[in-house]
Amino acid sequence: RTRPMSAPGGMPQDRSLSVLVVDSDSFMCEIFGLILAHYDVPHHIVQDAEAALAYLRHHPVAVVIVDCSPPEDDSGALARQIRDGNLAPGAKLVATSIFEWDGTQPEALQWDFDGFIPKPFDINDIVPYLRGLVQDTTGV
């Protein structure tokens, strides 16, 4: 489930956007994988917090997308472990959820997340949104 860090033909890829997706729903993992692959964004997909932490110990990423939909109850703990353990320095943490968003801040954003992607989402909005988050920080 990993997208290589180089584009087809061996050309170096823009490394300013690389993504780790953490979602226990295999369908959502497939959707995120297809979207990120379509835009040629390097990515890795895992289905639980333990696998996410293991991956982050050895791989830098620009964005970590974490599912915060019920019955996921370790989303906040995962965000804290990533931040407290300095496992993804400078990375943006993005919550995603099936919660209805009525304009108020979802609880997940109180757990030190930098952004929010509501489910369902428009597949055309994901990568531009993620690039915007990274560009706001890096200017790249």
Side-chain angles (χ1 to χ4, degrees):
R1 297 230 170 151
T2 302
R3 183 76 177 167
M5 293 299 274
S6 62
M11 296 296 295
Q13 191 174 53
D14 175 10
R15 295 177 188 235
S16 63
L17 180 59
S18 56
V19 178
L20 172 64
V21 177
V22 186
D23 197 318
S24 62
D25 181 333
S26 59
F27 177 74
M28 289 310 304
C29 290
E30 181 77 15
I31 294 295
F32 274 114
L34 290 170
I35 293 167
L36 296 168
H38 176 76
Y39 284 93
D40 205 25
V41 173
H43 63 278
H44 187 74
I45 299 172
V46 297
Q47 293 190 315
D48 59 46
E50 184 178 333
L53 294 170
Y55 183 81
L56 290 171
R57 285 186 189 97
H58 304 286
H59 302 91
V61 296
V63 177
V64 180
I65 299 173
V66 180
D67 178 42
C68 297
S69 303
E72 304 300 320
D73 59 350
D74 60 351
S75 306
L78 175 59
R80 284 188 296 278
Q81 287 178 295
I82 290 170
R83 296 284 193 216
D84 294 347
N86 203 27
L87 290 176
K92 295 295 184 180
L93 297 183
V94 177
T96 185
S97 175
I98 61 169
F99 294 126
E100 277 193 41
W101 194 43
D102 61 4
T104 61
Q105 182 175 344
E107 184 179 347
L109 293 182
Q110 298 170 13
W111 297 332
D112 204 18
F113 282 93
D114 301 298
F116 180 68
I117 299 172
K119 295 178 186 175
F121 48 76
D122 183 329
I123 61 172
N124 296 310
D125 294 342
I126 300 301
V127 171
Y129 174 73
L130 298 176
R131 282 190 179 132
L133 281 176
V134 172
Q135 288 172 352
D136 286 348
T137 303
T138 64
V140 177

